[in-house]
Amino acid sequence: MFKTMIAAIVSKHMRKKLDNWTIKEEDITEVLKQIRIALLDADVNLIAVKDFIKNIRQKAIGTVINHGEDPEQILLTIIKDELVNILGQKTRQINTEKHLIKIMMVGLQGSGKTTTVAKLANFLIHEHHRKPLLVALDIYRPAAIDQLQTLADQIHVDFYQHGNQNTVLTADEAMAIAAKNNNDVIIFDTAGRLQTNKELMDELVNIRNKVSPDEILMVVDAMSGQDVMNVANEFNNHLSLSGFVITKLDSDAKAGAALSLAYLLHIPIMYMGTGEKVGSLDVFYPERMADRILGLGDILTLAEKANKVVDENKAKKSLARMLAGKMDLEDLMQQMSQLSKMGSFGSVAKMMPNAPKISEDQISQAEQKMKIWNVLLASMTLKERRNPQLFKRQPNRKIRVIKGSGRKPDELNKMLNEWEKSKKKMEELGRQLKTGHNPFSKLGI
């Protein structure tokens, strides 16, 4: 996702006191210059950047700063409002009040369309208790049909395909199949190309005319460059798109071009992909995304994810054990399991307010370490996880775990050492809290 460091730019250039406590042109000239450079570097569309800068200038100049108010925070508020304007202002989702929802998914080859079809189906199952039917219409790539069938089996939903038959006929048959199976959602995975052409558009228009979809969603890769605007415009001219799904927003992709689509085409970004797993699809909230771009995190989405996967009673008991110095490897295993359900490590880290920038290499290393630890922990008995001291008293247990997991001795030793250090830190934290000390005071909490 594009990180403009806008908050840092504002902080650097708005620290001085303002004459007469009014924001003037000269107070924000350098700020706006640096923001413009940052946005263009992030691939945000030039028209969107120009409008963004112009609107900030108009709103900021002449603003009176009352005593006790922070000019930096006032300017950041203005910037956030304009970011929300570019990102789409209002949140829009699929209308799930209809008895039967027909969704047509379109996009270029390689955008993650087929995977997104499964993610959207999984989302509608768990959030709205729907019964989807996935329909494979990408007959030019047999691998796409196989992939969709595999994904349908993975999330336990109905699937329909009819080989190389004309896609319009297959789509028509799918609607009859859905009626027979009592499916209340039909998602059509249409063909993609490396670029748009007349044949593709004619086919998509024919499918649209046959099935009359309630939603036509275009899937866009966050790493798409400026040309995505022309591509999206062509899809929209032929099909009248109802929304976008942006994939790979958990990566360090610039994403500026993709996130400019809502503003320039007046079509909402409805969902975003935040990882490879089928559960990694989130509703797109413009205000929350603006917070993330400004470096303010996305604590609301993080809380919602945690609420879905974390058992509150178990979490309270686990925290109490940790603060009492009783944390064991079973606690560690359960915590890693819950964290993995919330999405990729990178996507969770980027939702934390004021989180330091984490590189893709660091994210990859952390996720690899978690995989290794899960394998090691799964190779232990419950008794061993509940009483890790057994490994010190009975070294043969280590040998059995290493052989059973296929991992290296130093990986097991490193995990045990890191767990021991974490246990001691949490115990010390618990002692400080008991004595009334605030261990987080240095963080301003």
Side-chain angles (χ1 to χ4, degrees), residues 140-405:
Y140 311 100
R141 292 193 307 128
I145 297 176
D146 294 340
Q147 180 189 8
L148 188 61
Q149 182 157 23
T150 299
L151 290 167
D153 292 341
Q154 183 181 336
I155 59 176
H156 309 293
V157 297
D158 295 328
F159 170 80
Y160 184 71
Q161 62 99 0
H162 198 144
N164 293 325
Q165 176 181 262
N166 180 280
T167 53
V168 175
L169 292 176
T170 302
D172 193 35
E173 290 172 356
M175 289 195 289
I177 294 291
K180 182 179 178 182
N181 292 344
N182 294 318
N183 298 109
D184 51 16
V185 175
I186 312 174
I187 307 180
F188 300 95
D189 183 23
T190 65
R193 297 282 192 282
L194 293 176
Q195 59 187 29
T196 57
N197 57 37
K198 186 178 185 303
E199 291 76 19
L200 171 63
M201 290 303 165
D202 287 347
E203 178 180 323
L204 296 178
V205 168
N206 290 335
I207 293 171
R208 182 201 62 185
N209 292 343
K210 172 57 70 175
V211 304
S212 299
D214 301 287
E215 304 282 357
I216 303 179
L217 305 182
M218 180 178 173
V219 181
V220 177
D221 189 325
M223 293 186 285
S224 301
Q226 289 294 326
D227 191 52
V228 72
M229 191 60 58
N230 297 327
V231 173
N233 203 41
E234 189 164 354
F235 272 102
N236 187 47
N237 288 339
H238 285 84
L239 299 168
S240 297
L241 300 174
S242 59
F244 293 107
V245 182
I246 311 296
T247 62
K248 302 178 186 175
L249 270 176
D250 59 323
S251 71
D252 275 342
K254 292 181 176 181
L259 292 176
S260 304
L261 290 171
Y263 179 73
L264 293 166
L265 296 183
H266 306 289
I267 298 168
I269 300 171
M270 294 170 62
Y271 302 96
M272 59 182 187
T274 56
E276 297 179 2
K277 297 179 181 178
V278 289
S280 302
L281 185 78
D282 295 330
V283 176
F284 185 86
Y285 293 94
E287 185 169 357
R288 298 183 190 182
M289 181 56 69
D291 281 338
R292 289 173 67 179
I293 291 170
L294 288 170
L296 304 177
D298 187 358
I299 201 67
L300 288 175
T301 299
L302 185 61
E304 287 171 0
K305 283 178 173 287
N307 189 50
K308 291 176 186 176
V309 302
V310 176
D311 185 305
E312 188 176 350
N313 290 328
K314 284 184 179 180
K316 286 179 179 178
K317 289 178 181 178
S318 179
L319 180 60
R321 286 171 53 80
M322 290 165 67
L323 294 176
K326 297 179 180 179
M327 173 181 164
D328 58 32
L329 294 176
E330 180 68 14
D331 295 318
L332 176 64
M333 191 176 188
Q334 290 178 5
Q335 289 160 10
M336 288 197 300
S337 174
Q338 291 178 339
L339 180 61
S340 68
K341 291 176 184 176
M342 292 173 64
S344 69
F345 178 79
S347 66
V348 171
K350 288 169 185 174
M351 291 179 202
M352 298 297 292
N354 301 315
K357 184 173 175 59
I358 303 175
S359 69
E360 288 296 309
D361 285 343
Q362 289 173 312
I363 290 171
S364 178
Q365 289 171 13
E367 291 180 339
Q368 180 62 23
K369 182 166 78 171
M370 286 181 66
K371 287 179 183 177
I372 292 171
W373 284 17
N374 272 315
V375 171
L376 288 166
L377 291 168
S379 298
M380 299 176 185
T381 64
L382 178 59
K383 182 179 179 181
E384 288 167 342
R385 292 196 296 271
R386 283 298 185 199
N387 186 12
Q389 299 303 319
L390 288 172
F391 291 113
K392 292 182 179 180
R393 297 196 293 265
Q394 301 171 24
N396 284 341
R397 289 180 180 272
K398 279 189 178 183
I399 296 173
R400 194 201 77 253
V401 170
I402 291 165
K403 287 183 177 179
S405 64

Side-chain angles (χ1 to χ4, degrees), residues 413-428:
N413 291 330
K414 188 173 182 180
M415 184 192 75
L416 292 173
N417 288 335
E418 289 192 30
W419 162 76
E420 189 72 44
K421 289 178 182 177
S422 297
K423 179 183 175 183
K424 289 178 180 177
K425 285 181 180 178
M426 290 303 298
E427 187 175 8
E428 175 60 27

Side-chain angles (χ1 to χ4, degrees), residues 50-92:
K50 285 182 176 179
D51 288 350
F52 181 66
I53 298 298
K54 181 184 73 174
N55 292 341
I56 293 172
R57 179 181 284 110
Q58 289 176 347
K59 288 186 177 182
I61 294 174
T63 298
V64 176
I65 310 298
N66 297 317
H67 286 285
E69 290 183 332
D70 185 350
E72 179 183 329
Q73 291 302 316
I74 288 176
L75 184 56
L76 278 175
T77 299
I78 293 172
I79 291 171
K80 179 182 171 180
D81 289 344
E82 289 308 311
L83 269 177
V84 172
N85 182 45
I86 284 181
L87 295 170
Q89 293 186 331
K90 294 182 180 180
T91 299
R92 192 176 95 72

